[in-house]
């Protein structure tokens, strides 16, 4: 599975977990059936496990927004991107940002990509300094 497809499926899985009583295994089975992919597993497990740390990092970069007020799709995309930017080192930050923006164009509304870009730009600027 290509990384873009793994990110899409990870987004779908994490989206299901946000605000539902599904277990992580149920959400994974729903999206992946019997298919397995290491990168997908790392994104889902890592984002889910580190959610409190990720949310704390995100809160400092949301101007005039609370994490709870964000649309669920943008919140999920941002969480996944912050996990990759903070905990993984195998992709350049520009690639991770571009992937997040593309996901927001596919799954969000017309303003989602600009919002995701703005938040992640602030986040990556802070990481690089």
């Amino acid at each position: 599975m290509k990384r873009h497809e793994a990110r899409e499926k990870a987004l779908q899985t994490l989206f299901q977990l946000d605000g539902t009583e599904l277990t992580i295994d149920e959400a994974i089975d729903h999206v992946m059936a019997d298919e397995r992919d290491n990168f997908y597993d790392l994104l889902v497990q890592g984002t889910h496990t580190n959610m409190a740390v990720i949310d704390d990092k995100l809160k400092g970069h949301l101007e005039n927004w609370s994490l709870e007020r964000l649309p669920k799709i943008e919140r999920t995309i941002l969480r996944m991107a912050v996990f990759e930017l903070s905990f993984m080192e195998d992709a350049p930050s520009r690639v991770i940002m571009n992937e997040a923006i593309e996901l927001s164009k596919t799954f969000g509304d017309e303003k989602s990509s600009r919002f995701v870009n703005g938040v992640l730009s602030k986040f990556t600027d802070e990481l690089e300094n």
Side-chain angles (χ1 to χ4, degrees):
M1 172 182 306
K2 293 185 179 188
R3 284 191 169 209
H4 181 75
E5 183 182 356
R7 284 184 180 99
E8 280 187 354
K9 291 186 179 288
L11 173 64
Q12 293 167 358
T13 303
L14 293 164
F15 185 86
Q16 285 184 36
L17 289 169
D18 190 2
T20 67
E21 294 182 18
L22 286 176
T23 67
I24 192 166
D25 291 330
E26 290 170 334
I28 289 170
D29 287 343
H30 187 261
V31 172
M32 296 295 283
D34 292 327
E35 191 177 1
R36 293 314 292 167
D37 181 80
N38 288 337
F39 184 67
Y40 162 86
D41 287 336
L42 183 59
L43 281 177
V44 171
Q45 298 286 350
T47 303
H48 191 264
T49 302
N50 296 290
M51 188 124 16
V53 173
I54 292 166
D55 286 355
D56 282 344
K57 290 180 181 218
L58 268 174
K59 286 176 186 174
H61 298 89
L62 299 174
E63 291 181 17
N64 303 319
W65 284 91
S66 68
L67 198 59
E68 297 76 29
R69 273 190 57 222
L70 285 181
K72 190 172 158 181
I73 193 67
E74 283 141 354
R75 183 172 56 233
T76 306
I77 290 168
L78 288 169
R79 282 175 171 162
M80 199 168 70
V82 168
F83 169 73
E84 272 196 85
L85 290 164
S86 300
F87 295 94
M88 297 175 69
E89 296 180 0
D90 61 340
S93 58
R94 273 187 281 147
V95 171
I96 295 166
M97 283 183 59
N98 286 339
E99 285 287 327
I101 292 164
E102 287 305 311
L103 289 171
S104 63
K105 286 178 181 176
T106 302
F107 295 101
D109 63 22
E110 66 276 351
K111 295 179 184 176
S112 295
S113 61
R114 284 187 302 211
F115 180 76
V116 166
N117 184 30
V119 173
L120 291 179
S121 291
K122 290 177 194 166
F123 187 79
T124 57
D125 287 347
E126 182 181 287
L127 281 178
E128 292 170 2
N129 294 327

